């Protein structure tokens, strides 16, 4: 009986240790966590906008993550830059629902071992600091204060190595 108790204690200790480690990687992070971290950053910068996770944006991020890597940056050339699979998924292609009604930002950030705050910082620094994908079509207009966010895990080949990334889609209605 004593041996069984000791074995059970070791197994339970190992299981608890593993549950602690799972929060360290990118898999434990979700849309709401990133939205909350972005809200904290926005408050710190005195911004007036807030982030909310939404399934429409998550579906777009998942669809982009499911694309073959060769299709992500297709834009259809200089005269037709809102074509290609990503622009269709984001509904930014000619006549698309978001073409002139919502600001749309999208991109990918590293997801391995940087947690929620690291991913949120990269979203703010690498994606949201750039102009929206359709900003040229929305000249003179401003994004609303509510920013909807969706994310999906995927992989990118970076320096010849498969790297875990988080695809991010953020939208904001036109004011």
């Amino acid at each position: 009986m004593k041996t069984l108790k000791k074995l059970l204690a070791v197994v339970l200790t190992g299981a608890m240790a593993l549950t602690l480690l799972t929060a360290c990687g990118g898999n434990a992070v979700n849309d709401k966590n990133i939205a909350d971290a972005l809200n904290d950053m926005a408050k710190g910068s005195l911004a007036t906008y807030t982030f909310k996770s939404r399934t429409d944006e998550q579906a777009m991020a998942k669809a982009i993550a499911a694309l073959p890597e060769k299709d992500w940056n297709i834009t259809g050339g200089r005269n037709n830059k809102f074509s290609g699979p990503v622009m269709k998924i984001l509904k930014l292609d000619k006549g698309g629902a978001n073409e002139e009604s919502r600001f749309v930002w999208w991109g990918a950030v590293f997801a391995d071992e940087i947690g929620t705050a690291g991913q949120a910082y990269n979203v703010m620094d690498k994606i949201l600091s750039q102009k929206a994908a359709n900003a040229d079509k929305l000249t003179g207009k401003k994004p609303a204060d509510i920013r909807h966010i969706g994310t999906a895990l995927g992989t990118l080949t970076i320096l010849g190595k498969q790297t875990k990334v988080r695809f991010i889609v953020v939208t904001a209605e036109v004011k």
Side-chain angles (χ1 to χ4, degrees):
M1 190 67 150
K2 269 188 169 182
T3 307
L4 182 62
K5 285 183 178 180
K6 287 181 181 179
L7 180 62
L8 185 59
V10 169
V11 170
L12 287 174
T13 303
M16 289 190 316
L18 285 175
T19 60
L20 288 174
L21 294 176
T22 58
C24 297
N27 290 336
V29 179
N30 62 35
D31 297 4
K32 184 178 178 335
N33 299 137
I34 292 178
D36 290 345
L38 288 169
N39 284 328
D40 290 343
M41 288 179 195
K43 285 178 194 169
S45 68
L46 303 176
T48 59
Y49 48 84
T50 58
F51 293 91
K52 294 183 178 183
S53 61
R54 191 164 74 172
T55 56
D56 290 348
E57 286 72 13
Q58 185 181 49
M60 289 186 263
K62 284 182 178 181
I64 292 169
L67 283 175
E69 193 167 339
K70 65 180 180 59
D71 291 340
W72 292 337
N73 293 318
I74 294 175
T75 58
R78 181 183 297 174
N79 297 326
N80 192 14
K81 72 181 198 176
F82 288 105
S83 65
V86 171
M87 292 304 147
K88 286 182 179 160
I89 290 168
L90 295 173
K91 301 174 187 165
L92 292 175
D93 54 329
K94 189 159 180 69
N98 291 335
E99 183 183 26
E100 295 184 29
S101 64
R102 285 190 182 119
F103 285 84
V104 179
W105 296 265
W106 81 280
V109 297
F110 288 106
D112 272 345
E113 301 177 11
I114 63 171
T116 302
Q119 291 179 47
Y121 172 80
N122 283 333
V123 169
M124 192 68 86
D125 185 50
K126 308 228 180 314
I127 297 172
L128 297 174
S129 66
Q130 307 298 315
K131 67 181 188 173
N134 57 338
D136 295 343
K137 298 217 175 205
L138 301 171
T139 305
K141 298 177 181 174
K142 295 185 179 197
D145 288 341
I146 302 293
R147 312 285 163 93
H148 294 100
I149 184 171
T151 75
L153 286 175
T155 58
L156 275 175
T157 305
I158 300 174
L159 300 173
K161 179 183 170 194
Q162 286 290 327
T163 305
K164 190 182 291 186
V165 296
R166 184 169 300 277
F167 291 93
I168 311 286
V169 175
V170 177
T171 66
E173 300 287 331
V174 172
K175 275 190 188 180

